[in-house]
Amino acid sequence: MNFQAIFILAYLLVTIGIGVYAAKKVKNSKDFILAGRSLPLPISTAALFATWFGSETILGSSVEFAKGGFLSVIQDPFGGALCLFLLGLVFAKYLYRMQILTFGDFYKNRYGKKMEFIAGICLIFSYFGWVAAQFVALGIMVQILFGMNQFTAIVIGACLVVFYTYLGGMWSVSLTDFFQSISIIIGLVVVIIELNGIKPIWSSISEKPDGFFRFFPESNYHAWTLYLSAWMVVGFGSLPQQDIFQRVMSAKSEKVAIRASYLSSVLYLLFAMIPLLLGLHAKSLTPEFDLNSETGQLLIPTMISKFSSPWIQVLFFSALISAILSTASGAILAPSSILSENILKYAFKDMNDKKLLLLSRVSVLIIAGISFLLAVGKPSIYALVEDSGGISLVTLFIPMVFGLLSKRADERSALFSLFVGIVTWLILEVYGDDMTSHFYGTIASLIAILFGIYCFPKKEKSQVTT
C-alpha cells in the first residue's frame, strides 16, 4: 500500500468517526430524518451544496464538457444551481412552515393518502440509479487506490457510506457534508493551481473551436426543446426531491433555510466550474485519451495520476471521495425516509418513536441493498444517473407547484397530472425522442392538472393555506 492510500485511508476513518459522533445526537425519528431542525447556516449551506457535488459533477460532467462545451452540461451544474436558487426564492419558506418530516407528508396533507403512496413510490424509484452511481464511483476510487477487483471495491465503498448513514441519519449526513465540503473546495483549488503551472488553463481554453463555449442553442424549435429539457430535469425536477427537502428542512429557522439555499446555489455553480475546466485541461494534456470509451469517466483521475505530485494526488482523491460520500449518504437517506414514514409504517400497528427510528434505519439497509444490486449490474455512472433522472419532474413537480401556490387543485387533479405526465414520458422514451421526453412529459402534466381543476372541481377546502 503506497503512502497516498494510507493517507486516504486515514481520511476515510476520520469521516467514519464524524459520522459515529453525529449518531450520538439521534434520539428519535425527527433527529434521524431532519437533524432535529437545528442546523446553523454554515452546516445547512454545506449540506445543500453537497447535494449533487458527487461523481456526476467531477467524473461525468467534466467529460461531457470536454466533448461538447457548455451546451453539453446545462443539466449539471447549471440546472443544479437553478434548483437551489429557486428553492430559496420560492419554495423554502412554504416548505419550512409546514412542520413535516418528508415530501410524502406534503402530498398526504395537501392531496390525501393515495397521492402520498403513489408519490412516495415515484420518489423512491427516482433514487435507485443515483445511489448506485455513487456506489460505482466509490468502487472505482477504492479499486484505483487499493488495487482490488471492482466487485470487492463496490462492496467496501457501499458499506462505508451505509455504516454512518445507518447510525446517524441526517445528523451524520450534515456533519460529514460540512467536513467533506471543505475538503472538496481545498482539494479542487489546489489541483487546478498546480496543473495551471504545468500548462496554463487559458491555453487549453484558447485551443477550442468557435462555438464550444456557446451558451444558447441554435435558433430552431428542436434545439430549444432539448435545451429547455436539460434545464428542467434537475432545475425543476429536483425541487420535489426528498434529499433537497431534508436538507432545507433541517435548518434551524426559515431565514437560515432561505439563505442557505441562495449561498449553496452560488457555491455550487462556482466550484462546479473547476471540474469542467479540469476536464477541458485533461483533454488537452492527454490527447490520446478516448472520451467515448467505457473508461471515459476516468479522464480527470488519469490526468492527475500522470501530471500531479503525490501530495496533490492525495488532495484530489480526498476531494473526490468527499464529493461522492456526501452525495451518496444524502441520496440513501432520502428514499429511506420516504419508505419508512410514508409506506412501511402503515403496515405496522402501535408504532412509537423508538420503533419508527428502527424502521428508518432498516429502510436505509433496504434502499442500499437494492441500489447495490443495480450498481453491480450496470457499473456505468452516466448510465445509472440517466436511469434515475426525470421521474420526479414528470410526475411530482406540477402537483407540488399547484399544491403550494394554488388552492384549486385536489387529489383527483393531482393524480391525473401524475398519471398523464409519466405515461407521456414513458411513451416518448420507448417510441419517440427520449432526449425531449422530460420536456413533453412535464407539459402534459401541466395540461392535465389544469384540465383536472376545471373538470374535477374540489369538494372540500384545502388543508394547506398559502
Side-chain angles (χ1 to χ4, degrees), residues 409-420:
D410 67 356
E411 184 175 56
R412 292 174 298 175
S413 57
L415 288 171
F416 186 56
S417 172
L418 184 153
F419 175 76
V420 171

Side-chain angles (χ1 to χ4, degrees), residues 94 106 110-111 398-410 413 449-450 453 458 462-466:
Y94 292 108
F106 163 75
R110 183 60 180 82
Y111 294 118
I398 296 299
M400 179 196 73
V401 171
F402 276 78
L404 288 172
L405 305 180
S406 171
K407 298 179 181 180
R408 301 186 63 183
D410 67 356
S413 57
I449 203 167
L450 292 172
I453 288 172
K458 274 177 55 174
S462 171
Q463 300 179 42
V464 173
T465 57
T466 57

Side-chain angles (χ1 to χ4, degrees), residues 91 103 106-107 110-111 115 232 236-240 390-406 409-410 413-422 438-453:
F91 299 102
F103 234 124
F106 163 75
Y107 289 105
R110 183 60 180 82
Y111 294 118
M115 188 65 181
M232 290 166 61
F236 293 172
S238 291
L239 284 167
I391 296 177
S392 59
L393 173 64
V394 300
T395 57
L396 301 177
F397 174 67
I398 296 299
M400 179 196 73
V401 171
F402 276 78
L404 288 172
L405 305 180
S406 171
D410 67 356
S413 57
L415 288 171
F416 186 56
S417 172
L418 184 153
F419 175 76
V420 171
I422 197 167
H438 300 113
F439 176 82
Y440 290 112
T442 307
I443 297 300
S445 178
L446 174 61
I447 294 172
I449 203 167
L450 292 172
F451 180 84
I453 288 172

Side-chain angles (χ1 to χ4, degrees), residues 256-275:
V256 168
I258 294 171
R259 288 178 177 176
S261 300
Y262 286 135
L263 286 173
S264 60
S265 175
V266 174
L267 287 174
Y268 184 74
L269 188 59
L270 177 64
F271 287 101
M273 290 296 105
I274 296 179

Side-chain angles (χ1 to χ4, degrees), residues 185-418:
I185 291 170
I186 293 174
L188 290 178
V189 169
V190 171
V191 165
I192 200 166
I193 290 173
E194 178 174 275
L195 290 174
N196 187 68
I198 296 172
K199 177 182 179 180
I201 300 288
W202 181 252
S203 65
S204 296
I205 294 174
S206 62
E207 292 170 1
K208 290 300 167 187
D210 292 340
F212 186 86
F213 298 101
R214 188 175 70 242
F215 195 73
F216 297 100
E218 298 176 359
S219 299
N220 63 72
Y221 177 79
H222 183 67
W224 272 95
T225 302
L226 290 172
Y227 184 71
L228 293 175
S229 182
W231 277 102
M232 290 166 61
V233 169
V234 176
F236 293 172
S238 291
L239 284 167
Q241 287 280 21
Q242 175 66 15
D243 55 343
I244 287 286
F245 170 85
Q246 278 181 272
R247 292 167 193 261
V248 76
M249 290 289 286
S250 298
K252 69 178 184 179
S253 69
E254 179 184 321
K255 185 179 292 186
V256 168
I258 294 171
R259 288 178 177 176
S261 300
Y262 286 135
L263 286 173
S264 60
S265 175
V266 174
L267 287 174
Y268 184 74
L269 188 59
L270 177 64
F271 287 101
M273 290 296 105
I274 296 179
L276 300 188
L277 290 175
L278 287 175
L280 186 64
H281 206 43
K283 178 58 179 173
S284 177
L285 290 174
T286 57
E288 73 284 356
F289 191 90
D290 185 2
L291 297 178
N292 297 309
S293 68
E294 292 184 1
T295 59
Q297 56 201 3
L298 298 180
L299 172 64
I300 292 181
T302 299
M303 174 184 67
I304 297 295
S305 299
K306 282 187 175 182
F307 296 101
S308 294
S309 63
W311 283 108
I312 295 299
Q313 292 178 34
V314 169
L315 283 173
F316 170 77
F317 286 114
S318 296
L320 178 54
I321 290 174
S322 292
I324 298 168
L325 287 174
S326 60
T327 299
S329 56
I332 292 170
L333 183 62
S336 303
S337 302
I338 294 286
L339 181 62
S340 62
E341 288 290 323
N342 301 113
I343 296 177
L344 292 183
K345 80 175 183 181
Y346 294 118
F348 302 94
K349 295 181 179 179
D350 303 322
M351 290 294 290
N352 57 33
D353 207 69
K354 185 176 181 180
K355 291 180 180 178
L356 281 173
L357 177 57
L358 177 60
L359 186 61
S360 297
R361 284 175 165 153
V362 171
S363 296
V364 167
L365 299 180
I366 294 172
I367 296 296
I370 296 172
S371 300
F372 170 77
L373 294 176
L374 187 59
V376 173
K378 184 183 283 190
S380 165
I381 294 171
Y382 195 76
L384 287 165
V385 171
E386 275 190 320
D387 289 345
S388 68
I391 296 177
S392 59
L393 173 64
V394 300
T395 57
L396 301 177
F397 174 67
I398 296 299
M400 179 196 73
V401 171
F402 276 78
L404 288 172
L405 305 180
S406 171
K407 298 179 181 180
R408 301 186 63 183
D410 67 356
E411 184 175 56
R412 292 174 298 175
S413 57
L415 288 171
F416 186 56
S417 172
L418 184 153

Side-chain angles (χ1 to χ4, degrees), residues 174-186:
S174 300
L175 293 187
T176 54
D177 277 354
F178 183 69
F179 170 68
Q180 290 157 353
S181 295
I182 295 172
S183 301
I184 292 167
I185 291 170
I186 293 174

Side-chain angles (χ1 to χ4, degrees), residues 34-45:
L34 295 181
R37 289 169 67 94
S38 58
L39 299 183
L41 181 62
I43 296 179
S44 185
T45 300

